[in-house]
Amino acid sequence: MRGLVAGALAGAWAGLAAAQDVPAQTPDDVGGLRLSGFGTLGASRVHAPAGWGFRRDLTQSASDARWRTDVDSRLGVQANYALGERFELVGQVIARKRGTYSRDGDAVEWAYAGYRLNADWTLRAGRVNVDSFLMADYRNVGYGFPSARPPVDLYAVLPTTLDGVDLTRSWIQGDVQWRAKLAMGRASIGDVDAGEPGDVHRIVAFMGSREEGGLLLRASFARMRIDMNPPVEAMDGLLQLARLPMPAVAAQASLLFDRAGARGHWGTFTELGLRHELANWQWSAELVRMEADPLIRQTSAYVIVGRRWGGWTPFVGYGRTHDAMPALAVPDWQTALAPLLGTAAAAQAQELGSAATAAVNAARALQSTRLIGVRWDMHPQAALKLQWERVDIRSIGSSLWSRANGAPARAHVATVVVDFIF
Amino acid sequence: MRWRALLVVMLLLPASPVCADFYIVVHAGNPQRALTQKAAVDLFMGRNRAFANGDLALIFDLPRDHPRRAAFYEALTGMNVAQVNSYWSRLMFSGQSVPPQALPDETAMLTILKRNPSALGWLSREPADPGLRTVLVLRELREVGEK
């Protein structure tokens, strides 16, 4: 009886296998680990007002040294582990100098599991990136772009990596390649040398791009909730002042409380970008609007044009950023509050008001940059770049510089970098 | 005397171009009969992941130091090797796509192509194996003779 059942099962299995035409076992040709990496060795000579520190983004540490090697120098290592044709694990760590308040784990740029549903659709979960800007995905990979660094006027304030999920569809229609991406998750933003970074959460971001014949056009929109993390004691003090039966003082304290980001605010990023590579010309341009009233109403734009001659690509560029939120005047709380609270308490309130106003004003970025440089592809995996830029910073608009005092200024930065991949 | 005359005539002939071809190859069981150059560019440059019938394509490359690799990509895309590497650095280190997997040599390429119907690769010599099909031939022109 058992033999009969076994025989029947064996026969059924053989029939099933034949019916499905099960192929001979093929080796896993796409499994395995791929290690790769990129890096930059850079040096900059900075000529700026005393005490001001040049930064390419707000995650960097403060330094007013004339000669800097930490601005652009970095080393990134990436591991791609493919589990068959559809699954992939990717991790990327970048070693570079970061600001005082950078968090553990900030060195991890990417850490996600990717699933390819089919040729067009890919789902990723883990630490990905906020793909809301043309160069956001490869801003650390100097070898991938002509200038020494992504335009500071726009890229300095980018949110960092996105912890969440994204879903991408990529398809070809004739000569046109389309991509669309939806991402959700959380990130962080802000000056990590001055204080704790702000939290950006409930992010929903959409990106669409069209590429045809060397011309890439893209647009993105993201909406998110931003919670800056100003010092708690200071914010409690402002909240108390906002409840005083003195309308003028209360309104000023409430405004400072809001502008400091103590209350969460909804924000949007809107971006239009293009990159064009045709024959030996390459140029890129981008326009971004970041709105999170009353924290920020920033408009930033740049254009970079380069032309290749053999292994040499000279380039010029212009960038500008402008925060439309007004600068605040220091309130006179000493005079207004002394009759109500006494001289000592009024003086304390004045100190709080002055410090809060300075902090709000120090977060405004209004500057423009003119740059010129050349890239030399000296090796198939390495490029040397020279870049000179002049930065004009407007009054109460120096937030991209560390330890700056808000005075209008002009700075010059001369840079040499070697970018490489391996 | 005849040979010397022939030699003189040959030396006086204008320099003629010599074609070195590259062969883009699939398994003979793959339904893809032929590829346009544009379709090949899309596959090798990570813009497209599938054959015309929608099946996933596994793209394979030869190693970076292969003597013909730079010429292959120039013939395929018109870009020099630094431009190709720059392009891939933008895609690879942003997780958007990975470059084709590099195999050690053309023997390994032949082995993979013969056993995997999803594979697509390139060779610098025309394959004679009936288990393979050439879907595109790329020509590289090189001047030979006195300038």
Side-chain angles (χ1 to χ4, degrees), chain A residues 29 34 36-37 78 92 110 112 124 137 143-144 175 177 380-381, chain B residues 38 47 49 64 85-86 89-90 92-96 98-99 115-116:
Chain A
D29 290 323
R34 291 168 81 164
S36 53
Q78 177 165 316
Q92 184 189 105
W110 301 86
Y112 66 82
R124 305 188 303 184
D137 274 359
Y143 191 81
D175 287 342
Q177 185 184 24
Q381 289 161 247
Chain B
K38 192 199 172 291
R47 293 196 193 111
R49 303 284 300 227
R64 265 183 186 154
N85 287 343
S86 192
S89 70
R90 290 197 294 270
M92 171 136 188
F93 298 118
S94 62
Q96 192 175 311
V98 288
R115 77 171 174 218
N116 196 325

PDB file of all heavy atoms in Angstrom, chain A residues 29 34 36-37 78 92 110 112 124 137 143-144 175 177 380-381, chain B residues 38 47 49 64 85-86 89-90 92-96 98-99 115-116:
ATOM      1  N   ASP A  29      24.285  33.338 -11.543  1.00  0.00           N
ATOM      2  CA  ASP A  29      25.265  34.190 -12.208  1.00  0.00           C
ATOM      3  C   ASP A  29      25.269  35.608 -11.680  1.00  0.00           C
ATOM      4  O   ASP A  29      26.134  36.393 -12.025  1.00  0.00           O
ATOM      5  CB  ASP A  29      24.997  34.209 -13.719  1.00  0.00           C
ATOM      6  CG  ASP A  29      25.338  32.868 -14.357  1.00  0.00           C
ATOM      7  OD1 ASP A  29      26.328  32.265 -13.918  1.00  0.00           O
ATOM      8  OD2 ASP A  29      24.611  32.431 -15.253  1.00  0.00           O
ATOM      9  N   ARG A  34      29.619  42.937  -4.342  1.00  0.00           N
ATOM     10  CA  ARG A  34      30.469  43.851  -5.119  1.00  0.00           C
ATOM     11  C   ARG A  34      30.857  45.005  -4.206  1.00  0.00           C
ATOM     12  O   ARG A  34      30.000  45.658  -3.616  1.00  0.00           O
ATOM     13  CB  ARG A  34      29.707  44.405  -6.328  1.00  0.00           C
ATOM     14  CG  ARG A  34      29.431  43.377  -7.393  1.00  0.00           C
ATOM     15  CD  ARG A  34      28.453  43.891  -8.404  1.00  0.00           C
ATOM     16  NE  ARG A  34      29.104  44.737  -9.396  1.00  0.00           N
ATOM     17  CZ  ARG A  34      28.542  45.068 -10.558  1.00  0.00           C
ATOM     18  NH1 ARG A  34      27.333  44.656 -10.848  1.00  0.00           N
ATOM     19  NH2 ARG A  34      29.166  45.842 -11.404  1.00  0.00           N
ATOM     20  N   SER A  36      32.863  48.640  -3.900  1.00  0.00           N
ATOM     21  CA  SER A  36      33.357  49.743  -4.720  1.00  0.00           C
ATOM     22  C   SER A  36      33.472  50.963  -3.832  1.00  0.00           C
ATOM     23  O   SER A  36      33.081  50.931  -2.659  1.00  0.00           O
ATOM     24  CB  SER A  36      32.407  50.008  -5.885  1.00  0.00           C
ATOM     25  OG  SER A  36      31.100  50.181  -5.402  1.00  0.00           O
ATOM     26  N   GLY A  37      34.008  52.008  -4.378  1.00  0.00           N
ATOM     27  CA  GLY A  37      34.132  53.189  -3.533  1.00  0.00           C
ATOM     28  C   GLY A  37      34.534  54.415  -4.303  1.00  0.00           C
ATOM     29  O   GLY A  37      34.770  54.384  -5.521  1.00  0.00           O
ATOM     30  N   GLN A  78      31.196  51.350  -0.683  1.00  0.00           N
ATOM     31  CA  GLN A  78      29.854  50.816  -0.897  1.00  0.00           C
ATOM     32  C   GLN A  78      29.924  49.320  -1.124  1.00  0.00           C
ATOM     33  O   GLN A  78      30.821  48.834  -1.816  1.00  0.00           O
ATOM     34  CB  GLN A  78      29.211  51.495  -2.110  1.00  0.00           C
ATOM     35  CG  GLN A  78      27.848  50.963  -2.473  1.00  0.00           C
ATOM     36  CD  GLN A  78      27.101  51.870  -3.417  1.00  0.00           C
ATOM     37  OE1 GLN A  78      27.075  53.082  -3.243  1.00  0.00           O
ATOM     38  NE2 GLN A  78      26.480  51.284  -4.417  1.00  0.00           N
ATOM     39  N   GLN A  92      26.404  51.930   2.217  1.00  0.00           N
ATOM     40  CA  GLN A  92      27.492  52.876   1.880  1.00  0.00           C
ATOM     41  C   GLN A  92      27.827  53.680   3.120  1.00  0.00           C
ATOM     42  O   GLN A  92      26.936  54.214   3.780  1.00  0.00           O
ATOM     43  CB  GLN A  92      27.041  53.818   0.768  1.00  0.00           C
ATOM     44  CG  GLN A  92      28.134  54.764   0.284  1.00  0.00           C
ATOM     45  CD  GLN A  92      27.592  55.822  -0.657  1.00  0.00           C
ATOM     46  OE1 GLN A  92      27.434  56.968  -0.282  1.00  0.00           O
ATOM     47  NE2 GLN A  92      27.332  55.458  -1.898  1.00  0.00           N
ATOM     48  N   TRP A 110      23.905  55.148   2.937  1.00  0.00           N
ATOM     49  CA  TRP A 110      22.879  54.257   2.372  1.00  0.00           C
ATOM     50  C   TRP A 110      22.904  52.942   3.154  1.00  0.00           C
ATOM     51  O   TRP A 110      23.966  52.449   3.496  1.00  0.00           O
ATOM     52  CB  TRP A 110      23.184  53.913   0.904  1.00  0.00           C
ATOM     53  CG  TRP A 110      23.270  55.053  -0.041  1.00  0.00           C
ATOM     54  CD1 TRP A 110      24.373  55.802  -0.293  1.00  0.00           C
ATOM     55  CD2 TRP A 110      22.241  55.574  -0.882  1.00  0.00           C
ATOM     56  NE1 TRP A 110      24.082  56.765  -1.236  1.00  0.00           N
ATOM     57  CE2 TRP A 110      22.793  56.637  -1.624  1.00  0.00           C
ATOM     58  CE3 TRP A 110      20.909  55.222  -1.088  1.00  0.00           C
ATOM     59  CZ2 TRP A 110      22.053  57.366  -2.548  1.00  0.00           C
ATOM     60  CZ3 TRP A 110      20.169  55.949  -2.020  1.00  0.00           C
ATOM     61  CH2 TRP A 110      20.746  57.010  -2.720  1.00  0.00           C
ATOM     62  N   TYR A 112      20.084  49.883   2.604  1.00  0.00           N
ATOM     63  CA  TYR A 112      18.722  49.487   2.257  1.00  0.00           C
ATOM     64  C   TYR A 112      18.655  48.125   1.612  1.00  0.00           C
ATOM     65  O   TYR A 112      19.659  47.586   1.140  1.00  0.00           O
ATOM     66  CB  TYR A 112      18.079  50.529   1.336  1.00  0.00           C
ATOM     67  CG  TYR A 112      18.708  50.648  -0.032  1.00  0.00           C
ATOM     68  CD1 TYR A 112      18.382  49.766  -1.064  1.00  0.00           C
ATOM     69  CD2 TYR A 112      19.638  51.653  -0.303  1.00  0.00           C
ATOM     70  CE1 TYR A 112      18.963  49.877  -2.315  1.00  0.00           C
ATOM     71  CE2 TYR A 112      20.218  51.769  -1.553  1.00  0.00           C
ATOM     72  CZ  TYR A 112      19.883  50.887  -2.558  1.00  0.00           C
ATOM     73  OH  TYR A 112      20.461  50.994  -3.790  1.00  0.00           O
ATOM     74  N   ARG A 124      12.577  50.099  -2.441  1.00  0.00           N
ATOM     75  CA  ARG A 124      13.714  50.084  -1.522  1.00  0.00           C
ATOM     76  C   ARG A 124      13.241  50.482  -0.138  1.00  0.00           C
ATOM     77  O   ARG A 124      12.388  51.374  -0.005  1.00  0.00           O
ATOM     78  CB  ARG A 124      14.810  51.051  -1.977  1.00  0.00           C
ATOM     79  CG  ARG A 124      15.287  50.792  -3.405  1.00  0.00           C
ATOM     80  CD  ARG A 124      16.478  51.615  -3.773  1.00  0.00           C
ATOM     81  NE  ARG A 124      16.241  53.040  -3.623  1.00  0.00           N
ATOM     82  CZ  ARG A 124      17.124  53.977  -3.960  1.00  0.00           C
ATOM     83  NH1 ARG A 124      18.281  53.614  -4.458  1.00  0.00           N
ATOM     84  NH2 ARG A 124      16.856  55.253  -3.799  1.00  0.00           N
ATOM     85  N   ASP A 137      21.637  62.671  -4.964  1.00  0.00           N
ATOM     86  CA  ASP A 137      22.047  61.271  -4.832  1.00  0.00           C
ATOM     87  C   ASP A 137      23.559  61.094  -4.903  1.00  0.00           C
ATOM     88  O   ASP A 137      24.103  60.160  -4.340  1.00  0.00           O
ATOM     89  CB  ASP A 137      21.405  60.429  -5.952  1.00  0.00           C
ATOM     90  CG  ASP A 137      20.025  59.941  -5.577  1.00  0.00           C
ATOM     91  OD1 ASP A 137      19.573  60.240  -4.452  1.00  0.00           O
ATOM     92  OD2 ASP A 137      19.399  59.258  -6.400  1.00  0.00           O
ATOM     93  N   TYR A 143      33.793  62.572  -8.473  1.00  0.00           N
ATOM     94  CA  TYR A 143      34.163  62.099  -9.806  1.00  0.00           C
ATOM     95  C   TYR A 143      33.005  62.220 -10.789  1.00  0.00           C
ATOM     96  O   TYR A 143      33.193  62.271 -11.989  1.00  0.00           O
ATOM     97  CB  TYR A 143      34.642  60.638  -9.734  1.00  0.00           C
ATOM     98  CG  TYR A 143      35.270  60.178 -11.009  1.00  0.00           C
ATOM     99  CD1 TYR A 143      36.583  60.486 -11.316  1.00  0.00           C
ATOM    100  CD2 TYR A 143      34.529  59.453 -11.943  1.00  0.00           C
ATOM    101  CE1 TYR A 143      37.153  60.094 -12.514  1.00  0.00           C
ATOM    102  CE2 TYR A 143      35.090  59.052 -13.142  1.00  0.00           C
ATOM    103  CZ  TYR A 143      36.398  59.383 -13.420  1.00  0.00           C
ATOM    104  OH  TYR A 143      36.948  58.991 -14.609  1.00  0.00           O
ATOM    105  N   GLY A 144      31.787  62.292 -10.280  1.00  0.00           N
ATOM    106  CA  GLY A 144      30.602  62.284 -11.138  1.00  0.00           C
ATOM    107  C   GLY A 144      30.168  63.642 -11.654  1.00  0.00           C
ATOM    108  O   GLY A 144      29.211  63.731 -12.423  1.00  0.00           O
ATOM    109  N   ASP A 175      12.659  57.126 -27.718  1.00  0.00           N
ATOM    110  CA  ASP A 175      14.002  57.593 -27.361  1.00  0.00           C
ATOM    111  C   ASP A 175      14.048  58.218 -25.971  1.00  0.00           C
ATOM    112  O   ASP A 175      15.091  58.699 -25.557  1.00  0.00           O
ATOM    113  CB  ASP A 175      14.462  58.659 -28.373  1.00  0.00           C
ATOM    114  CG  ASP A 175      14.813  58.040 -29.711  1.00  0.00           C
ATOM    115  OD1 ASP A 175      15.033  56.814 -29.753  1.00  0.00           O
ATOM    116  OD2 ASP A 175      14.863  58.779 -30.717  1.00  0.00           O
ATOM    117  N   GLN A 177      13.710  58.311 -21.857  1.00  0.00           N
ATOM    118  CA  GLN A 177      13.643  57.524 -20.636  1.00  0.00           C
ATOM    119  C   GLN A 177      12.940  58.346 -19.557  1.00  0.00           C
ATOM    120  O   GLN A 177      13.334  59.477 -19.268  1.00  0.00           O
ATOM    121  CB  GLN A 177      15.017  57.122 -20.117  1.00  0.00           C
ATOM    122  CG  GLN A 177      14.857  56.201 -18.923  1.00  0.00           C
ATOM    123  CD  GLN A 177      16.126  55.796 -18.241  1.00  0.00           C
ATOM    124  OE1 GLN A 177      17.134  56.481 -18.321  1.00  0.00           O
ATOM    125  NE2 GLN A 177      16.082  54.666 -17.562  1.00  0.00           N
ATOM    126  N   PRO A 380      41.571  57.179 -16.050  1.00  0.00           N
ATOM    127  CA  PRO A 380      40.168  56.744 -16.191  1.00  0.00           C
ATOM    128  C   PRO A 380      39.390  56.709 -14.882  1.00  0.00           C
ATOM    129  O   PRO A 380      38.169  56.714 -14.894  1.00  0.00           O
ATOM    130  CB  PRO A 380      40.305  55.331 -16.763  1.00  0.00           C
ATOM    131  CG  PRO A 380      41.614  55.317 -17.436  1.00  0.00           C
ATOM    132  CD  PRO A 380      42.514  56.232 -16.660  1.00  0.00           C
ATOM    133  N   GLN A 381      40.099  56.692 -13.739  1.00  0.00           N
ATOM    134  CA  GLN A 381      39.386  56.634 -12.464  1.00  0.00           C
ATOM    135  C   GLN A 381      39.746  57.782 -11.536  1.00  0.00           C
ATOM    136  O   GLN A 381      39.472  57.701 -10.335  1.00  0.00           O
ATOM    137  CB  GLN A 381      39.671  55.290 -11.768  1.00  0.00           C
ATOM    138  CG  GLN A 381      39.003  54.119 -12.474  1.00  0.00           C
ATOM    139  CD  GLN A 381      39.620  52.796 -12.091  1.00  0.00           C
ATOM    140  OE1 GLN A 381      40.252  52.125 -12.907  1.00  0.00           O
ATOM    141  NE2 GLN A 381      39.458  52.420 -10.847  1.00  0.00           N
TER     142      GLN A 381
ATOM    143  N   LYS B  38      20.868  51.799 -30.231  1.00  0.00           N
ATOM    144  CA  LYS B  38      20.259  52.541 -29.128  1.00  0.00           C
ATOM    145  C   LYS B  38      19.802  51.587 -28.016  1.00  0.00           C
ATOM    146  O   LYS B  38      19.999  51.851 -26.834  1.00  0.00           O
ATOM    147  CB  LYS B  38      19.082  53.359 -29.635  1.00  0.00           C
ATOM    148  CG  LYS B  38      18.657  54.329 -28.541  1.00  0.00           C
ATOM    149  CD  LYS B  38      17.290  54.880 -28.661  1.00  0.00           C
ATOM    150  CE  LYS B  38      16.936  55.679 -27.413  1.00  0.00           C
ATOM    151  NZ  LYS B  38      16.764  54.853 -26.226  1.00  0.00           N
ATOM    152  N   ARG B  47      19.999  51.927 -18.410  1.00  0.00           N
ATOM    153  CA  ARG B  47      18.716  52.642 -18.552  1.00  0.00           C
ATOM    154  C   ARG B  47      17.565  51.673 -18.734  1.00  0.00           C
ATOM    155  O   ARG B  47      16.412  52.010 -18.488  1.00  0.00           O
ATOM    156  CB  ARG B  47      18.773  53.581 -19.753  1.00  0.00           C
ATOM    157  CG  ARG B  47      19.750  54.700 -19.548  1.00  0.00           C
ATOM    158  CD  ARG B  47      19.539  55.819 -20.541  1.00  0.00           C
ATOM    159  NE  ARG B  47      20.669  56.718 -20.497  1.00  0.00           N
ATOM    160  CZ  ARG B  47      21.564  56.857 -21.467  1.00  0.00           C
ATOM    161  NH1 ARG B  47      21.426  56.182 -22.583  1.00  0.00           N
ATOM    162  NH2 ARG B  47      22.573  57.671 -21.325  1.00  0.00           N
ATOM    163  N   ARG B  49      16.402  47.453 -18.292  1.00  0.00           N
ATOM    164  CA  ARG B  49      16.803  46.203 -17.674  1.00  0.00           C
ATOM    165  C   ARG B  49      16.217  44.990 -18.362  1.00  0.00           C
ATOM    166  O   ARG B  49      16.362  43.880 -17.866  1.00  0.00           O
ATOM    167  CB  ARG B  49      16.334  46.182 -16.202  1.00  0.00           C
ATOM    168  CG  ARG B  49      16.836  47.331 -15.375  1.00  0.00           C
ATOM    169  CD  ARG B  49      18.272  47.162 -14.996  1.00  0.00           C
ATOM    170  NE  ARG B  49      18.473  45.959 -14.222  1.00  0.00           N
ATOM    171  CZ  ARG B  49      19.178  45.894 -13.111  1.00  0.00           C
ATOM    172  NH1 ARG B  49      19.745  46.970 -12.648  1.00  0.00           N
ATOM    173  NH2 ARG B  49      19.342  44.758 -12.476  1.00  0.00           N
ATOM    174  N   ARG B  64      37.901  46.014 -16.442  1.00  0.00           N
ATOM    175  CA  ARG B  64      38.321  47.390 -16.730  1.00  0.00           C
ATOM    176  C   ARG B  64      39.619  47.440 -17.514  1.00  0.00           C
ATOM    177  O   ARG B  64      39.811  48.312 -18.349  1.00  0.00           O
ATOM    178  CB  ARG B  64      38.538  48.142 -15.420  1.00  0.00           C
ATOM    179  CG  ARG B  64      37.351  48.937 -14.978  1.00  0.00           C
ATOM    180  CD  ARG B  64      37.681  49.694 -13.715  1.00  0.00           C
ATOM    181  NE  ARG B  64      36.492  50.348 -13.202  1.00  0.00           N
ATOM    182  CZ  ARG B  64      36.280  50.671 -11.950  1.00  0.00           C
ATOM    183  NH1 ARG B  64      37.192  50.391 -11.037  1.00  0.00           N
ATOM    184  NH2 ARG B  64      35.183  51.270 -11.564  1.00  0.00           N
ATOM    185  N   ASN B  85      32.928  56.209 -16.969  1.00  0.00           N
ATOM    186  CA  ASN B  85      33.115  55.999 -15.522  1.00  0.00           C
ATOM    187  C   ASN B  85      32.401  57.074 -14.706  1.00  0.00           C
ATOM    188  O   ASN B  85      31.850  56.798 -13.645  1.00  0.00           O
ATOM    189  CB  ASN B  85      34.610  55.976 -15.176  1.00  0.00           C
ATOM    190  CG  ASN B  85      35.277  54.697 -15.650  1.00  0.00           C
ATOM    191  OD1 ASN B  85      34.607  53.711 -15.953  1.00  0.00           O
ATOM    192  ND2 ASN B  85      36.599  54.705 -15.726  1.00  0.00           N
ATOM    193  N   SER B  86      32.443  58.304 -15.209  1.00  0.00           N
ATOM    194  CA  SER B  86      31.760  59.401 -14.521  1.00  0.00           C
ATOM    195  C   SER B  86      30.251  59.150 -14.494  1.00  0.00           C
ATOM    196  O   SER B  86      29.589  59.340 -13.475  1.00  0.00           O
ATOM    197  CB  SER B  86      32.077  60.700 -15.257  1.00  0.00           C
ATOM    198  OG  SER B  86      31.682  61.797 -14.500  1.00  0.00           O
ATOM    199  N   SER B  89      29.522  56.471 -12.002  1.00  0.00           N
ATOM    200  CA  SER B  89      29.707  56.869 -10.599  1.00  0.00           C
ATOM    201  C   SER B  89      28.462  57.598 -10.099  1.00  0.00           C
ATOM    202  O   SER B  89      28.089  57.469  -8.941  1.00  0.00           O
ATOM    203  CB  SER B  89      30.953  57.734 -10.444  1.00  0.00           C
ATOM    204  OG  SER B  89      30.769  58.998 -11.033  1.00  0.00           O
ATOM    205  N   ARG B  90      27.787  58.332 -10.992  1.00  0.00           N
ATOM    206  CA  ARG B  90      26.552  59.015 -10.576  1.00  0.00           C
ATOM    207  C   ARG B  90      25.446  58.013 -10.292  1.00  0.00           C
ATOM    208  O   ARG B  90      24.635  58.190  -9.390  1.00  0.00           O
ATOM    209  CB  ARG B  90      26.080  59.996 -11.649  1.00  0.00           C
ATOM    210  CG  ARG B  90      26.970  61.221 -11.809  1.00  0.00           C
ATOM    211  CD  ARG B  90      26.238  62.301 -12.565  1.00  0.00           C
ATOM    212  NE  ARG B  90      25.949  61.946 -13.937  1.00  0.00           N
ATOM    213  CZ  ARG B  90      26.751  62.185 -14.961  1.00  0.00           C
ATOM    214  NH1 ARG B  90      27.924  62.768 -14.747  1.00  0.00           N
ATOM    215  NH2 ARG B  90      26.406  61.850 -16.176  1.00  0.00           N
ATOM    216  N   MET B  92      25.828  54.485  -9.772  1.00  0.00           N
ATOM    217  CA  MET B  92      26.134  53.392  -8.861  1.00  0.00           C
ATOM    218  C   MET B  92      26.137  53.838  -7.411  1.00  0.00           C
ATOM    219  O   MET B  92      25.600  53.169  -6.537  1.00  0.00           O
ATOM    220  CB  MET B  92      27.517  52.825  -9.203  1.00  0.00           C
ATOM    221  CG  MET B  92      27.995  51.833  -8.166  1.00  0.00           C
ATOM    222  SD  MET B  92      28.689  50.419  -8.938  1.00  0.00           S
ATOM    223  CE  MET B  92      28.939  49.364  -7.541  1.00  0.00           C
ATOM    224  N   PHE B  93      26.760  55.005  -7.159  1.00  0.00           N
ATOM    225  CA  PHE B  93      26.891  55.420  -5.768  1.00  0.00           C
ATOM    226  C   PHE B  93      25.653  56.152  -5.275  1.00  0.00           C
ATOM    227  O   PHE B  93      25.647  56.693  -4.183  1.00  0.00           O
ATOM    228  CB  PHE B  93      28.166  56.249  -5.585  1.00  0.00           C
ATOM    229  CG  PHE B  93      29.406  55.455  -5.910  1.00  0.00           C
ATOM    230  CD1 PHE B  93      30.232  55.830  -6.940  1.00  0.00           C
ATOM    231  CD2 PHE B  93      29.712  54.318  -5.179  1.00  0.00           C
ATOM    232  CE1 PHE B  93      31.362  55.083  -7.241  1.00  0.00           C
ATOM    233  CE2 PHE B  93      30.845  53.569  -5.464  1.00  0.00           C
ATOM    234  CZ  PHE B  93      31.669  53.951  -6.502  1.00  0.00           C
ATOM    235  N   SER B  94      24.620  56.176  -6.111  1.00  0.00           N
ATOM    236  CA  SER B  94      23.336  56.671  -5.648  1.00  0.00           C
ATOM    237  C   SER B  94      22.316  55.547  -5.632  1.00  0.00           C
ATOM    238  O   SER B  94      21.141  55.782  -5.442  1.00  0.00           O
ATOM    239  CB  SER B  94      22.841  57.793  -6.554  1.00  0.00           C
ATOM    240  OG  SER B  94      22.655  57.304  -7.857  1.00  0.00           O
ATOM    241  N   GLY B  95      22.783  54.319  -5.844  1.00  0.00           N
ATOM    242  CA  GLY B  95      21.891  53.175  -5.762  1.00  0.00           C
ATOM    243  C   GLY B  95      20.910  53.050  -6.904  1.00  0.00           C
ATOM    244  O   GLY B  95      20.006  52.225  -6.870  1.00  0.00           O
ATOM    245  N   GLN B  96      21.066  53.878  -7.933  1.00  0.00           N
ATOM    246  CA  GLN B  96      20.064  53.855  -9.000  1.00  0.00           C
ATOM    247  C   GLN B  96      20.234  52.643  -9.891  1.00  0.00           C
ATOM    248  O   GLN B  96      19.267  52.054 -10.352  1.00  0.00           O
ATOM    249  CB  GLN B  96      20.197  55.135  -9.824  1.00  0.00           C
ATOM    250  CG  GLN B  96      19.060  55.371 -10.779  1.00  0.00           C
ATOM    251  CD  GLN B  96      19.206  56.707 -11.460  1.00  0.00           C
ATOM    252  OE1 GLN B  96      19.429  57.714 -10.797  1.00  0.00           O
ATOM    253  NE2 GLN B  96      19.086  56.723 -12.770  1.00  0.00           N
ATOM    254  N   VAL B  98      23.471  49.469 -11.138  1.00  0.00           N
ATOM    255  CA  VAL B  98      24.850  49.000 -11.005  1.00  0.00           C
ATOM    256  C   VAL B  98      25.392  48.709 -12.394  1.00  0.00           C
ATOM    257  O   VAL B  98      24.653  48.300 -13.277  1.00  0.00           O
ATOM    258  CB  VAL B  98      24.982  47.744 -10.114  1.00  0.00           C
ATOM    259  CG1 VAL B  98      24.765  48.082  -8.668  1.00  0.00           C
ATOM    260  CG2 VAL B  98      24.079  46.628 -10.569  1.00  0.00           C
ATOM    261  N   PRO B  99      26.691  48.923 -12.590  1.00  0.00           N
ATOM    262  CA  PRO B  99      27.275  48.622 -13.894  1.00  0.00           C
ATOM    263  C   PRO B  99      27.172  47.125 -14.169  1.00  0.00           C
ATOM    264  O   PRO B  99      27.006  46.329 -13.237  1.00  0.00           O
ATOM    265  CB  PRO B  99      28.744  49.046 -13.747  1.00  0.00           C
ATOM    266  CG  PRO B  99      28.830  49.812 -12.483  1.00  0.00           C
ATOM    267  CD  PRO B  99      27.682  49.402 -11.641  1.00  0.00           C
ATOM    268  N   ARG B 115      25.333  29.340 -21.056  1.00  0.00           N
ATOM    269  CA  ARG B 115      24.487  28.610 -20.109  1.00  0.00           C
ATOM    270  C   ARG B 115      23.300  29.423 -19.605  1.00  0.00           C
ATOM    271  O   ARG B 115      22.390  28.875 -19.010  1.00  0.00           O
ATOM    272  CB  ARG B 115      25.327  28.116 -18.933  1.00  0.00           C
ATOM    273  CG  ARG B 115      25.657  29.179 -17.942  1.00  0.00           C
ATOM    274  CD  ARG B 115      26.302  28.604 -16.701  1.00  0.00           C
ATOM    275  NE  ARG B 115      26.739  29.681 -15.830  1.00  0.00           N
ATOM    276  CZ  ARG B 115      27.862  29.670 -15.130  1.00  0.00           C
ATOM    277  NH1 ARG B 115      28.678  28.642 -15.211  1.00  0.00           N
ATOM    278  NH2 ARG B 115      28.175  30.680 -14.348  1.00  0.00           N
ATOM    279  N   ASN B 116      23.296  30.731 -19.786  1.00  0.00           N
ATOM    280  CA  ASN B 116      22.245  31.550 -19.195  1.00  0.00           C
ATOM    281  C   ASN B 116      21.458  32.287 -20.271  1.00  0.00           C
ATOM    282  O   ASN B 116      21.966  33.215 -20.895  1.00  0.00           O
ATOM    283  CB  ASN B 116      22.877  32.551 -18.216  1.00  0.00           C
ATOM    284  CG  ASN B 116      21.836  33.161 -17.287  1.00  0.00           C
ATOM    285  OD1 ASN B 116      20.695  33.386 -17.687  1.00  0.00           O
ATOM    286  ND2 ASN B 116      22.222  33.425 -16.057  1.00  0.00           N
TER     287      ASN B 116
END
